[in-house]
Amino acid sequence: MSDTEHPARAAARRSMELVHAKDREGWLANFADDAVIEDPIGRSPLCPDGQGHRGRAAIAKFWDAVIGPNRVLFEIRHSYACGAECANVGTISTVLPDGSVSQVDGVFTYRVDAAGKVLALRAYWEFERMRFFPATPEAARLP
């Protein structure tokens, strides 16, 4: 067993840490110039054409619209790394500006290049299964 963290798992961990720290520039730097984010995969209110957010400018817009205004928390229960990819199984909780919370369960995959930059972040989750919780004092205390 190696003491070195798998490159895709390291990139996924770094991505989540940078989101939690609200470090937009650090998060963007974690991606290759020609990367794509599909979160979720396919057509959705977050990506009406279903083609994903391709390239650094589109990824920056994704941050500004989806991540920046909110607090995003990750609970990864399992992580599987193979080749240049990692699949994380878990729950993402998003605390919205009004204090309400949305939660999705899913599989979140990261593919990296030889430099460890994210080439593709693909999120397998279903809008219809998203859970919503009203604003509460407990939600306000989430990190």
Side-chain angles (χ1 to χ4, degrees):
M1 184 116 190
S2 171
D3 290 334
T4 304
E5 185 173 24
H6 187 281
R9 186 175 288 132
R13 180 187 43 74
R14 201 167 37 251
S15 177
M16 290 180 273
E17 289 171 354
L18 292 164
V19 165
H20 188 75
K22 307 287 286 174
D23 183 347
R24 180 183 187 270
E25 297 312 310
W27 185 76
L28 291 172
N30 197 39
F31 288 87
D33 290 338
D34 58 345
V36 61
I37 292 178
E38 296 174 90
D39 184 356
I41 295 170
R43 294 180 191 267
S44 77
L46 301 179
C47 186
D49 71 4
Q51 298 302 306
H53 309 276
R54 295 181 183 278
R56 197 164 301 247
I59 291 170
K61 287 181 183 177
F62 177 82
W63 172 284
D64 294 340
V66 177
I67 298 170
N70 305 303
R71 284 185 295 152
V72 183
L73 310 166
F74 302 90
E75 178 190 339
I76 302 303
R77 290 184 293 282
H78 303 286
S79 182
Y80 305 96
C82 297
E85 300 193 40
C86 175
N88 294 321
V89 179
T91 302
I92 296 177
S93 299
T94 303
V95 182
L96 304 169
D98 69 358
S100 61
V101 177
S102 70
Q103 283 187 334
V104 296
D105 298 316
V107 177
F108 310 96
T109 66
Y110 294 77
R111 182 168 41 94
V112 297
D113 63 15
K117 298 284 188 179
V118 177
L119 288 170
L121 188 170
R122 303 183 79 215
Y124 296 78
W125 61 272
E126 301 170 38
F127 251 92
E128 300 77 24
R129 296 177 70 177
M130 182 183 293
R131 300 177 302 280
F132 288 97
F133 303 94
T136 64
E138 291 80 20
R141 289 192 295 273
L142 289 172

